[in-house]
Amino acid sequence: MGSSPHRRTMGSTGYTCIRRTFCSFNILIWLCGSGFLAIGVWLHFAFPGYATLLPDHAVLSADCMFITVGVISFVIAFFGCCGSWFQSRCFLVIYFTLVVLLFLSEFLLGSLAFVFRGGIGRMLTQELKYGIEKHYNVSDRGGFLTPSVASIWDNLQVDLQCCGVSSYEDWYDISAWPGERWVPQSCCRSQYNSLFSEGSGDELANVDCRKAGNPALLWDKSCGQILQMWFVQRLHIVGTVVLVIGFLQLFGLISSMLLFCTVKHKRSSKTYKSYSPTVDTTLNRNGTSATYMDD
């Protein structure tokens, strides 16, 4: 028996709904990917000093991360939009394969980061110390749109009220002042941050905090410690972002497979037949015919 016109209409409506939802979803991902790509390019040209904080691992800088995420999102969404719009099973297979590979890569990288979290932390600490030692230059302040390494570190230490990566001793004997046990002015506490604080009633107020070698004048916490605490306090946000990303990937996988399994026939009038591939001959009783072309 052939399927009824009502059944065919429901099947066609459902397929069209899935197709439009999947296409809209990938357009949204495409726009987000384009935004990430634009932010990454802007960071690369506007804040090149951040890459110098990790000189041997510049690929881990914020601009490279944004560009990578933007390119991957852009490419995957492109195949999804094309597969939905042109009803191409080939593009849908490519889309499904890319999402699966992305999921496996995220799982692998996350597992490796968890297993080797201690080594990764030590590596980042060593790289940041190396950037301080070799690339900190007091006289190079950069500009408003292109801050230097010195400007970045000074702003970071003042805002977070910290000194050094692991301790204030990270600033000793760097290339900016070889053989000296000095720290930058941004390491000094607020009341000792100025060399012209006479009349404050504190005998230490007139001491040059940078060269005094007195830890009591400096911020008592390291920047690495504060950043770690900041990250731990926001683990729930990280978990929420991971769950959202996983849900979006699962939605993309299910939708692409539904489209792949149902894109089998299309009519010349661009309206869709039911989910069953069987040609319904009951329409011929009314004197009408439908032409189908296999993908």
Side-chain angles (χ1 to χ4, degrees):
M1 294 180 59
S3 59
S4 64
H6 177 70
R7 183 178 178 182
R8 290 195 303 274
T9 302
M10 292 298 294
S12 176
T13 303
Y15 178 81
T16 304
C17 180
I18 295 175
R19 176 171 172 263
R20 290 178 177 176
T21 302
F22 182 71
C23 187
S24 301
F25 167 77
N26 282 280
I27 290 177
L28 178 61
I29 298 298
W30 182 82
L31 292 175
C32 293
S34 301
F36 279 116
L37 183 60
I39 293 174
V41 173
W42 174 71
L43 287 175
H44 178 74
F45 289 101
F47 299 94
Y50 280 99
T52 317
L53 297 178
L54 298 172
D56 292 338
H57 297 83
V59 70
L60 299 178
S61 60
D63 55 345
C64 291
M65 299 295 288
F66 273 104
I67 291 175
T68 302
V69 172
V71 170
I72 293 176
S73 302
F74 185 90
V75 172
I76 293 179
F78 170 80
F79 283 105
C81 290
C82 290
S84 175
W85 183 264
F86 297 109
Q87 307 160 56
S88 171
R89 303 171 80 182
C90 178
F91 280 165
L92 290 174
V93 170
I94 295 176
Y95 175 88
F96 182 85
T97 304
L98 290 176
V99 175
V100 170
L101 291 177
L102 179 62
F103 176 80
L104 293 177
S105 300
E106 292 170 351
F107 179 79
L108 179 62
L109 291 176
S111 300
L112 292 176
F114 178 79
V115 173
F116 300 103
R117 58 188 182 278
I120 294 176
R122 288 190 295 271
M123 181 270 293
L124 291 176
T125 300
Q126 293 174 358
E127 284 296 307
L128 288 173
K129 290 181 179 180
Y130 180 79
I132 287 177
E133 180 182 355
K134 300 298 182 182
H135 298 280
Y136 187 91
N137 188 349
V138 181
S139 60
D140 182 15
R141 308 306 299 177
F144 177 75
L145 295 178
T146 57
S148 64
V149 175
S151 178
I152 294 172
W153 268 108
D154 288 341
N155 293 332
L156 179 68
Q157 293 185 142
V158 171
D159 293 339
L160 299 182
Q161 297 184 352
C162 58
C163 183
V165 181
S166 300
S167 69
Y168 60 89
E169 294 182 355
D170 296 335
W171 293 102
Y172 289 177
D173 194 25
I174 65 175
S175 59
W177 40 74
E180 302 291 346
R181 299 170 63 88
W182 296 348
V183 297
Q185 192 71 31
S186 56
C187 278
C188 300
R189 293 177 180 268
S190 302
Q191 60 269 34
Y192 309 120
N193 197 25
S194 175
L195 298 179
F196 304 99
S197 52
E198 298 181 0
S200 61
D202 189 342
E203 61 179 5
L204 296 177
N206 298 323
V207 176
D208 188 349
C209 168
R210 300 172 303 162
K211 306 176 182 180
N214 187 353
L217 307 179
L218 311 177
W219 300 118
D220 57 350
K221 293 184 179 180
S222 64
C223 296
Q225 179 183 2
I226 292 182
L227 290 176
Q228 183 179 5
M229 292 175 56
W230 180 89
F231 180 78
V232 170
Q233 292 172 354
R234 289 161 177 80
L235 280 178
H236 62 285
I237 299 178
V238 177
T240 302
V241 172
V242 171
L243 289 177
V244 170
I245 293 175
F247 174 79
L248 293 177
Q249 291 176 342
L250 181 61
F251 177 81
L253 290 175
I254 295 176
S255 301
S256 62
M257 280 296 95
L258 285 175
L259 288 177
F260 177 82
C261 294
T262 53
V263 175
K264 294 183 178 180
H265 299 278
K266 61 182 179 179
R267 301 178 61 173
S268 57
S269 60
K270 296 185 180 180
T271 58
Y272 297 95
K273 189 175 170 61
S274 66
Y275 288 95
S276 174
T278 305
V279 177
D280 185 9
T281 58
T282 58
L283 290 178
N284 294 329
R285 299 175 184 176
N286 299 328
T288 59
S289 62
T291 302
Y292 300 95
M293 180 173 60
D294 188 63
D295 283 335

